[in-house]
Amino acid sequence: MAKDRSQREDYTAPLRRLLLGALLLCLLGIFLVWRIDSPRVERFRAQVTDKVVPSMEWAMVPVTATINLFRDFQSYQRLSEQNRELRSELRQMRAWKEAALQLEQENARLLDLNNVRLDPQLTYVTGVVMADSGSPFRQSVLLNVGARDGIVDGWAAMDGIGLVGRISGVGQNTARVILLTDAASSIPATIQPSGQTALIAGDNTAAPVLDFLENRELVRAGDRVITSGDGGVFPAGLLIGQIAQDPSGRLRVRLSADYERLEFLRVIRHLGNEQIDTPGNIVTTDPVDNGAAQVVEDEEVVDG
């Protein structure tokens, strides 16, 4: 046994040395090949690397998936934040849109007020409707103009299109407007093109009644109704509305003023029609003087 072990060691020792020397020579050769700067050697090194070095794609698959999952989570967080910001901006834009629509409507009504054509001799004061005291028994609105602005009881009030009512009660800073639809309102009017005169009487409905019409046969639905100026309360020519007929056959007036949106009213300054107190002033003085001279001559002839 001892002899066999010694013989085995005698064979293995030189073989180990031989293998170690070969390994060192290979490592030295690899080192030298890796250090040589030559295009051919470089191509050889690339080929050796492609053949020897194993592919690591299978090992990078879970790492790449984890990185992509982390990136997707970060992207989801950013999208969630952007979504919240966009929702907040959308709410703000809706509020701005509502404010813009209100301003647009207000601007349109103010433009309507400015575009109404009136007699150049008539001036006006524009007021804001502060309160609406409409009820089944009384329909009126309150304006923020009053005696300090020169408002006088009885003056006409218009919106951007037609007549709304008349001033009935003036305070220092406010004034009340009785609407044409109020039961206490009666307005003399003229119907065009027939020229018929009538009385617009309110009955607490949206369309006042047309009373005291001279000849109904000359009036048609759709005829224009304006103020006549009779009585000196309202100036003539203010638009009231159009003729309409209710189911019972009674004539009414479809008002041109928008009673659903009374925000601004124009109070027309009207001092009434000029009245002639001394009719003799309309006769020229020259004919009077000639007549007096003729009377004097006749008296001289009689005396003679």
Side-chain angles (χ1 to χ4, degrees), residues 38-50:
S38 173
R40 293 183 179 180
V41 176
E42 181 65 28
R43 286 194 296 272
F44 175 73
R45 286 197 296 261
Q47 293 177 358
V48 171
T49 302
D50 293 338

Side-chain angles (χ1 to χ4, degrees), residues 268-283:
I268 306 300
R269 292 192 181 100
H270 179 55
L271 303 179
N273 297 326
E274 183 180 359
Q275 297 181 356
I276 301 175
D277 297 331
T278 56
N281 291 339
I282 64 175
V283 182

Side-chain angles (χ1 to χ4, degrees), residues 148-160:
R148 65 176 182 180
D149 304 294
I151 303 299
V152 176
D153 195 14
W155 281 357
M158 301 182 63
D159 71 345

